[in-house]
Structure formats: C-alpha cells, structure tokens
Amino acid sequence: MRTPADRHAISLESTGTIFGDHFEQDDSYRLRRPNGMQDWLLVYTLQGEGYFRTPAGEKRCGSGQLGLLRANIAHEYGTVQGTHWNFLWIHYPGLPENGMLPNEEFLVETLPDERVRGRVELAFRNVLQDSLDRLELWEALCENALREILLLLAQRTNKRLDPRVEQTLGLLSRSLKEDVKIDALSREIGISGSRLAHLFKQQTGSTILEHLNQMRVRHAALLMSHSGRTANEAAHDVGFNSYNHFADQFRKQFGVSPRQYRQACRHP
C-alpha cells in the first residue's frame, strides 16, 4: 500500500510539473479525466494489471510493461477487475524525446528482459528520490532519468525483434568473456536450441556465435584504440582463448590484422 514516504510531488516553476508515486491498488481503484491533462503520464507495472481507456479504445498494462499516456487526451484508468495493480507512475510536462515515439493516445510496450526492466524501474525510483531530496541539480537529474525511460521505450517501438531474440542479445552482451553454449542460452530463454538458433539467424542475419564474435571483436578494437591494450591483451579481455582465432575474426570484420589496426590507431 502507499505510504507517506512513497509520495513525491513537486513543482518545477521553469518547466512545469514533475511528480510521481508508487501505488498498489485493488480493483476499486479508478481515475477519470474527461478533459485530459496537460502533462504526460508514464506508468510501469511491477505486478498485476491496469487498464487505460481513451477515445481510441482500451489497452492494458501488465507486469513488466511500460505505458505512456499523451497529454491532452481524455482518459480513464484503474485496476483491472479481479486483480490488483502494483505500479510506478510519473507525471511530467513533456520532453523532446516524446517526438521519437509513435503518435498513440496510450502507448504500451513489453520490456524484453530483467536487465531492461531493472533499468526502467531504477530510473523511475531515481526520479521519485531526486524529486524528494531536491538537492542541487535535482531537476536535471529527474529529466535525465525520464529521458532514459523514453529512449528505452523508443528503442522498443523502433526495433521489432522477437522478444526471445532481444533476450538472447542481452544475455550475450553480459556473457562477452564467457564460453557461451547455445543449449544453456535456450534453456534460459525457454525454447529449444534449434528453434533459438533458427529464430536468431532469421531476425539478425547471423548465427549466435557469429554475432558474439562480432561483439567481441568490436570491443577488442575499442580496447586497443582507446585503452592502450595490446592485441594479445585485448583478445584475452574479450574472451578469445586462441589468438589465431581472434586474429582471423578481426580480419573478417576490419580487413586488417589486430596489430595493424592497433598500429594505425597509434600513428594515424
């Protein structure tokens, strides 16, 4: 249930109003605004399910889903009957990043995995905390956190990969230095190894191993050009056990050997 410590509401004289809260409501909860409101509303559902009704119809926002209600839209929202709704919400006056999103009265997107969900929840809580503390530069901190949420939402709406492929990409980025096994990935994703391999190749144009090697090589190139790592050190840093294999993959991607690339970076 909501407590006084959870409640954060502040006015920004220069830019409008930012305020938010963490609610947990039963199915008696309902709010109607026949004339809409001037601010935008971001909602992230932690558990349960809420509904949003606008002139365009009804949409629901369930666990792991992020919703955005446009300004000046007549609406009603509340807890879906027979459920509860545990959610974070923020009113804000609008930011340029809103222009990157589809022109829908209420936009809802499912976040693909725990990593992205964790980023969004943390950004929400940072806005609530910074708006409560009101330390120096708190307005800018709130806006930056809101921008992160909106950019992640825009990334979801512009990149229509299968959620299982997105989840695989997230796992690969976190396992860059590890020995990745497709069977282990598929168990975590919840589908067979053959189905995952086919789906990944179909949507990205490369196999899982090819994509992992491309990620490793790109990162190794950055380590050599920006962190002073030698070719051997960079190969080890990104998870290649064989330097020859690393060098072969590097040539495929950059057209030169790792040592030639590093030399060119040192003496452009």
Side-chain angles (χ1 to χ4, degrees), residues 125-140:
R125 295 193 183 280
N126 283 341
V127 171
L128 303 188
Q129 188 65 54
D130 288 331
S131 66
L132 176 66
D133 292 342
R134 300 193 69 172
L135 301 176
E136 185 179 6
L137 302 178
W138 65 270
E139 297 102 328

Side-chain angles (χ1 to χ4, degrees), residues 6 13 25 33-34 48 66 89 112 143-144 150 156 158 164 174 217-218 231 250 252-253 255 264:
D6 289 325
E13 292 82 358
Q25 302 288 342
R33 293 192 180 98
L66 179 61
W89 56 269
E143 289 187 359
N144 282 341
L150 294 172
R156 288 289 303 138
N158 294 329
R164 294 166 293 185
R174 297 196 296 277
V217 166
R218 284 196 303 269
F250 199 96
K252 287 181 181 179
Q253 193 158 335

Side-chain angles (χ1 to χ4, degrees), residues 50-60 76 80 105-106 108:
Y51 70 86
F52 284 78
R53 295 185 186 131
T54 69
E58 179 177 308
K59 292 182 180 180
R60 295 188 175 187
E76 172 187 319
V80 171
E105 293 178 351
F106 180 70
V108 60

